[in-house]
Amino acid sequence: MDRYNEIALWHDDSQSAVVIFPLFTATAYADGGFYDYFGGKCDGCTTTTIKVPEFRYTSSGNAVQAFDLLGYDIINDATLDQNPDILKRYDKVIMLHNEYVTRTMFDAITNHPNVIYLYPNALYAEIEVDYIDETITLVRGHNYPESRIINGFDWEFDNTHPFEYDRECADMQMYQIKNGWMTNCYPENVFLKSSHAMALLKAIKDR
């Protein structure tokens, strides 16, 4: 808490920022989700019920807790999908491991002028959401429905390979793309190392 209190002292309130919690990705990785389908455990798991979110490695749990402690606004995928104009209220959008998103989300995010794609593998596969049945369905991407389909949106800035698999972040950097910044490693464990976390959070603040 001493570290976070120190960070809070230089947190720039003049620039509004929002963090997008990856609810849909958390659902995809949960039991009965897409990864049971990918693993051959369930033929029908390309449609799965939206789960109560858990703070796990695959859903950027450490990052979410850090941003919450610092007082950032946090919304989830469903909120953004149902109200994409909400991003217009913010100067900065911070994406986490938002791997599975709708077309509406993809368009809103890629049209915002200042997005920090904090985790590689964001905007990787397209889904549809049924808010009556509370389900998500995999539409395209992650080698589905054909093995040749990698990124479901054919997004030119997809940085999944090889950066998603660097989890040490020994040489972590941010590099600029058309509408913001990307990292060259998967930083979930960085938030467990106080000095590294402070450097990362300051870099986010300065963007």
Side-chain angles (χ1 to χ4, degrees), residues 92-144:
K92 181 186 302 181
V93 177
I94 302 170
M95 300 294 292
L96 303 179
H97 186 211
N98 301 88
E99 180 178 356
Y100 296 92
V101 299
T102 64
R103 171 63 67 173
T104 297
M105 292 176 62
F106 179 85
D107 290 343
I109 293 159
T110 55
N111 284 317
H112 192 280
N114 189 25
V115 179
I116 295 177
Y117 300 91
L118 191 56
Y119 288 65
N121 196 220
L123 311 187
Y124 192 61
E126 181 181 359
I127 62 166
E128 291 180 346
V129 185
D130 185 327
Y131 289 102
I132 296 175
D133 292 340
E134 297 187 337
T135 60
I136 62 172
T137 298
L138 181 61
V139 174
R140 189 174 191 271
H142 203 298
N143 309 107
Y144 180 89

Side-chain angles (χ1 to χ4, degrees), residues 29-48:
Y29 279 89
D31 291 343
F34 299 164
Y35 287 83
D36 280 354
Y37 168 78
F38 296 141
K41 299 178 181 178
C42 173
D43 290 340
C45 289
T46 52
T47 294
T48 185

Side-chain angles (χ1 to χ4, degrees), residues 23 26-28 30-33 48-54 134:
L23 171 63
T27 294
D31 291 343
T48 185
T49 303
I50 296 173
K51 306 297 192 298
V52 175
E54 297 180 3
E134 297 187 337

Side-chain angles (χ1 to χ4, degrees), residues 22-205:
L23 171 63
F24 298 152
T25 299
T27 294
Y29 279 89
D31 291 343
F34 299 164
Y35 287 83
D36 280 354
Y37 168 78
F38 296 141
K41 299 178 181 178
C42 173
D43 290 340
C45 289
T46 52
T47 294
T48 185
T49 303
I50 296 173
K51 306 297 192 298
V52 175
E54 297 180 3
F55 293 152
R56 300 174 63 181
Y57 184 85
T58 50
S59 58
S60 315
N62 292 333
V64 172
Q65 293 176 82
F67 287 120
D68 184 52
L69 284 169
L70 289 170
Y72 279 80
D73 286 358
I74 300 174
I75 63 174
N76 66 38
D77 294 332
T79 300
L80 173 56
D81 184 46
Q82 295 176 94
N83 182 18
D85 286 343
I86 196 171
L87 296 189
K88 296 178 181 178
R89 304 177 189 175
Y90 295 96
D91 301 312
K92 181 186 302 181
V93 177
I94 302 170
M95 300 294 292
L96 303 179
H97 186 211
N98 301 88
E99 180 178 356
Y100 296 92
V101 299
T102 64
R103 171 63 67 173
T104 297
M105 292 176 62
F106 179 85
D107 290 343
I109 293 159
T110 55
N111 284 317
H112 192 280
N114 189 25
V115 179
I116 295 177
Y117 300 91
L118 191 56
Y119 288 65
N121 196 220
L123 311 187
Y124 192 61
E126 181 181 359
I127 62 166
E128 291 180 346
V129 185
D130 185 327
Y131 289 102
I132 296 175
D133 292 340
E134 297 187 337
T135 60
I136 62 172
T137 298
L138 181 61
V139 174
R140 189 174 191 271
H142 203 298
N143 309 107
Y144 180 89
E146 300 176 28
S147 59
R148 65 176 180 82
I149 300 173
I150 307 302
N151 184 282
F153 302 95
D154 300 316
W155 189 37
E156 62 180 308
F157 297 111
D158 183 343
N159 68 341
T160 298
H161 304 285
F163 295 144
E164 181 187 14
Y165 304 101
D166 180 357
R167 299 174 182 184
E168 297 299 322
C169 291
D171 186 28
M172 184 173 185
Q173 298 176 19
M174 285 188 177
Y175 61 94
Q176 196 164 14
I177 63 168
K178 182 179 179 180
N179 76 318
W181 300 83
M182 286 184 152
T183 57
N184 65 344
C185 64
Y186 193 93
E188 178 67 2
N189 293 331
V190 170
F191 290 95
L192 302 177
K193 306 170 184 177
S194 59
S195 60
H196 294 173
M198 287 188 68
L200 175 57
L201 290 164
K202 188 175 188 306
I204 292 168
K205 167 193 168 293

